[in-house]
Amino acid sequence: MNTRRAGLAGLLISVLLAVQPAWADGVEALRNFVQATRGAQGSFTQTVLARSGRKPQVSEGTFAFQRPGKFRWDYRTPYPQLLVGDGQKLWAWDRDLNQVTVKRLGDALGASPAAILAGDDAIEKNFELADGGMADGLTWVVARPRSAEGSFQAMRLGFAGGQLRQMELKDNFGQTTLLVFTRFESNPSLDPALFRFEPPKGADVVGE
């Protein structure tokens, strides 16, 4: 009986050791995610922590993206705002002010946090990647932009079950933004209309 138990224990240890690198390698988790996830939709909670220690700003909304270059980020609360990337331009609509800001995506998407979700497969061209270990039940990777002209210092991305669960962004102003994906559906059939935007009638349009 003891010999049998020892044998089972040895088998379990062998299995755990065999799969441990897949759990511990955050870089590989990101690579697999980018290759396997061509699009997604779901919901999120966003918390912004200021360096000054003021009360965190919490917002909620829904998202959708489709590689390459198309995404929709819809803040529902507390302040309605819509961000749409149509592959060529980025549209930002402040519903309360009825103001639309538009600018070309160009190469900027490649070195932005949105590139992880909606960019092409050349992630390592624009980011330096490092394994972030295991924490809170997630496999983490750290991504730092190769360009010094970016608006942020580093991102941490947490994965579980092949899906992206959390993103933590530290910007150049000392703020930390934490995104928790409360629902994440990979590779759904998405309506192309999600990634089109027409400024509402009477909206003030600013930009290119």
Side-chain angles (χ1 to χ4, degrees):
M1 188 67 174
N2 289 339
T3 301
R4 183 181 178 186
R5 288 181 178 176
L8 290 173
L11 178 61
L12 178 60
I13 290 172
S14 297
V15 171
L16 290 176
L17 288 176
V19 301
Q20 186 176 9
W23 291 349
D25 190 358
V27 175
E28 193 63 26
L30 174 59
R31 289 171 179 160
N32 291 339
F33 170 77
V34 171
Q35 292 177 2
T37 309
R38 309 313 302 171
Q41 65 181 358
S43 55
F44 67 89
T45 298
Q46 176 179 298
T47 304
V48 179
L49 304 170
R51 183 170 55 183
S52 64
R54 71 170 183 262
K55 184 179 179 180
Q57 301 174 9
V58 181
S59 54
E60 297 180 350
T62 61
F63 74 91
F65 72 83
Q66 190 170 65
R67 302 181 191 273
K70 296 181 179 181
F71 56 91
R72 184 184 185 91
W73 210 257
D74 194 354
Y75 289 93
R76 303 292 178 84
T77 61
Y79 306 111
Q81 187 176 27
L82 177 64
L83 305 175
V84 176
D86 62 10
Q88 301 295 325
K89 296 182 179 181
L90 170 63
W91 303 85
W93 178 34
D94 187 315
R95 289 183 172 92
D96 289 339
L97 298 177
N98 199 22
Q99 182 180 74
V100 176
T101 302
V102 56
K103 60 182 178 180
R104 295 188 180 279
L105 282 176
D107 296 330
L109 180 63
S112 71
I116 300 296
L117 297 179
D120 56 24
D121 296 337
I123 298 297
E124 290 173 81
K125 174 184 176 182
N126 298 297
F127 297 96
E128 294 180 2
L129 304 179
D131 178 38
M134 292 283 296
D136 302 322
L138 301 177
T139 300
W140 293 88
V141 61
V142 179
R144 294 183 174 85
R146 295 185 183 276
S147 172
E149 299 178 359
S151 61
F152 71 100
Q153 297 177 358
M155 281 186 295
R156 292 177 69 238
L157 301 103
F159 296 89
Q163 289 190 347
L164 180 61
R165 303 294 187 181
Q166 294 187 28
M167 293 178 69
E168 184 181 289
L169 172 69
K170 293 186 181 298
D171 65 24
N172 293 328
F173 303 101
Q175 290 190 141
T176 299
T177 300
L178 176 63
L179 282 166
V180 177
F181 296 101
T182 52
R183 183 173 64 87
F184 197 106
E185 180 185 355
S186 298
N187 299 318
S189 178
L190 295 171
D191 185 348
L194 288 171
F195 311 112
R196 294 194 292 265
F197 182 82
E198 290 289 338
K201 185 177 180 179
D204 182 20
V205 180
V206 180
E208 301 176 15

